[in-house]
């Protein structure tokens, strides 16, 4: 059954892109069944009652609240200079399950990237689509353009990790240290890596340095594999 | 230092795309240093001696053979119907480190995908570029369009796994069962999944069914995360 998004639980109709997808792409008709979620765990089984050009009205037949995952993953990344790499990074992390993705501005982030490369609306649409496609009912939050300093101050995750390329230290792999059943935040080095002072600051703020393996990974690959490593740390500990 | 590819160890010059990249993109000159690999573990530190329009001649100053990884991962996937998804799947698996990627034809693979979507040369170039970018010296082999039956017969990996969507069985996660320090092959379900007879056949041929986690993953995501899971099984066991 197809999943649709209606963040406002007082409304009993799909609107905008969701309505268009229902009417035009899927050609659904009154009487057809659908699932509606608010992206916060609500999973309503509904039946279409009326379809206009812009809205799809439905009646809810049964309602379930999907329990939140036993641990939350929050990722913090600096956007890459290629739009498509940012897009797949968001898609893949949302597909796996992530609570929040913070886009940070580091010393090595180009202003051009922030102004021209990152299309916020498009990334929001990709996150929504990935949630529905992977049949999840919690919509990841995308948080755009915090400075690294503000992220250090504001982040409340219980366990915090920073992954960067280090030729001096031999850090443990994230999967070996990531705690399970808690809130976890992972900060990923940008293209060109963090500046030395950013790394010092992160460690002062309680971030544990970790490795992501032997090979040198692109930023977006590192982010996706770090997110997966936290999930697997939980698989291994349960 | 930039890595270049010359598969023929008797030649002491770069040619084709590699030479163009050296001359045009990187604007290297005689006297500059480079690394040259044959994609089979050879890591030669060399110095450019002469640059023509089409070739870059070099002298080898020192030679090292990078030891092969202690375990090998072979992935088997059916191509997705979108070219860019096949491309990033190859890029990411090569970035992480994979010995071979087999593209299979399953019952649910469309002929159109094989004829029009999969651009073999482009995927080879992506694999080469990912190897160099991630500073590895073993070039993954891409093997195109085996039937699933032939793959079952020909595959020689010591440990073999098959990942598919199962609503009946609760299979263990790949990371819990993947053996380390051995040759491992993982077969990933296509868009629309395997046919029931393909699954039966795989199990008869010694493939162990495994899960890749709670959420429903796209084919290309499943392939990348499966490859990563085998790497992490090794991190955890060492």
């Amino acid at each position: 059954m197809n999943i649709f998004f209606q963040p406002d639980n007082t409304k009993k109709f799909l609107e905008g892109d969701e309505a268009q997808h229902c009417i035009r792409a899927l050609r659904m008709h009154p009487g057809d069944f659908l699932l509606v979620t608010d992206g916060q765990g609500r999973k309503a089984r509904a039946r279409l009652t009326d379809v206009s050009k812009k809205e799809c009205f439905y009646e809810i037949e049964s309602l379930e609240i999907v329990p939140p995952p036993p641990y939350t993953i929050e990722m913090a990344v600096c956007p890459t200079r290629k739009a498509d790499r940012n897009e797949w990074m968001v898609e893949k992390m949302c597909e796996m399950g992530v609570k929040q993705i913070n886009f940070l501005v580091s010393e090595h982030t180009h202003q051009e990237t922030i102004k021209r490369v990152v299309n916020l609306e498009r990334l929001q649409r990709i996150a929504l689509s990935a949630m529905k496609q992977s049949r999840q009912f919690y919509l990841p939050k995308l948080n755009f353009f915090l400075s690294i300093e503000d992220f250090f101050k504001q982040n409340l995750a219980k366990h915090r990790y920073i992954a960067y390329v280090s030729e001096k230290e031999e850090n443990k792999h994230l999967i070996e240290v990531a705690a399970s059943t808690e809130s976890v935040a992972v900060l990923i080095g940008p293209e060109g890596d963090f500046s030395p002072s950013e790394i010092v600051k992160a460690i002062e703020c309680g971030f544990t340095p970790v490795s992501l393996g032997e090979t040198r990974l692109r930023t977006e690959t590192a982010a996706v594999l770090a997110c997966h490593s936290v999930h697997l740390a939980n698989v291994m500990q349960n």
Side-chain angles (χ1 to χ4, degrees), chain A:
Chain A
M1 217 185 304
N2 286 294
I3 302 173
F4 294 89
F5 180 59
Q6 172 48 279
D8 183 345
N9 290 327
T10 64
K11 292 183 179 171
K12 295 287 175 288
F13 55 88
L14 305 176
E15 52 198 331
D17 287 350
E18 293 296 292
Q20 294 310 311
H21 185 61
C22 179
I23 302 163
R24 306 235 167 138
L26 301 170
R27 295 167 186 265
M28 290 175 70
H29 297 101
D32 288 347
F33 288 97
L34 64 160
L35 293 173
V36 184
T37 184
D38 61 356
Q40 298 192 53
R42 205 176 141 101
K43 178 183 178 181
R45 190 172 186 277
R47 197 168 50 81
L48 279 187
T49 53
D50 195 15
V51 171
S52 73
K53 273 192 181 167
K54 293 193 165 178
E55 283 145 355
C56 301
F57 294 86
Y58 52 79
E59 269 174 6
I60 291 175
E61 305 223 321
S62 63
L63 178 63
E64 182 189 334
I65 305 297
V66 176
Y71 57 93
T72 60
I73 305 177
E74 192 179 333
M75 298 296 303
V77 291
C78 303
T80 78
R81 280 193 274 180
K82 296 244 176 132
D84 61 342
R85 295 188 179 272
N86 292 319
E87 289 167 11
W88 94 240
M89 173 165 70
V90 167
E91 178 179 289
K92 296 313 164 201
M93 289 197 277
C94 293
E95 226 180 289
M96 268 185 268
V98 66
K99 188 182 181 191
Q100 183 163 326
I101 304 171
N102 301 293
F103 281 91
L104 305 187
V105 180
S106 73
E107 279 183 40
H108 294 164
T109 306
H110 293 246
Q111 281 305 314
E112 203 62 8
T113 305
I114 295 169
K115 284 192 200 135
R116 291 184 216 280
V117 173
V118 180
N119 181 331
L120 313 188
E121 275 181 29
R122 196 170 149 84
L123 291 177
Q124 300 279 14
R125 279 201 303 277
I126 287 171
L128 176 60
S129 165
M131 175 195 75
K132 296 193 292 180
Q133 205 274 336
S134 58
R135 306 196 79 72
Q136 297 179 83
F137 297 89
Y138 286 86
L139 181 63
K141 190 178 168 204
L142 305 188
N143 200 5
F144 289 103
F145 302 131
L146 277 171
S147 73
I148 285 205
E149 288 71 25
D150 287 343
F151 174 71
F152 289 155
K153 284 181 208 148
Q154 292 171 22
N155 185 266
L156 297 171
K158 189 157 176 192
H159 300 280
R160 306 195 283 179
Y161 305 100
I162 179 172
Y164 57 90
V165 178
S166 170
E167 283 173 9
K168 286 183 226 153
E169 308 134 60
E170 286 224 344
N171 296 321
K172 282 203 164 185
H173 195 290
L174 177 57
I175 194 172
E176 296 177 279
V177 296
S180 67
T181 63
E182 300 278 4
S183 59
V184 172
V186 188
L187 173 55
I188 299 294
E191 287 168 345
D193 219 340
F194 293 114
S195 72
S197 71
E198 287 170 337
I199 295 174
V200 169
K201 194 75 197 273
I203 295 170
E204 279 173 11
C205 291
F207 284 76
T208 305
V210 291
S211 144
L212 294 174
E214 299 289 314
T215 69
R216 192 177 72 167
L217 303 170
R218 286 177 182 275
T219 296
E220 75 279 7
T221 319
V224 168
L225 300 189
C227 185
H228 187 230
S229 299
V230 177
H231 280 301
L232 293 191
N234 277 275
V235 168
M236 294 302 279
Q237 285 168 37
N238 289 330

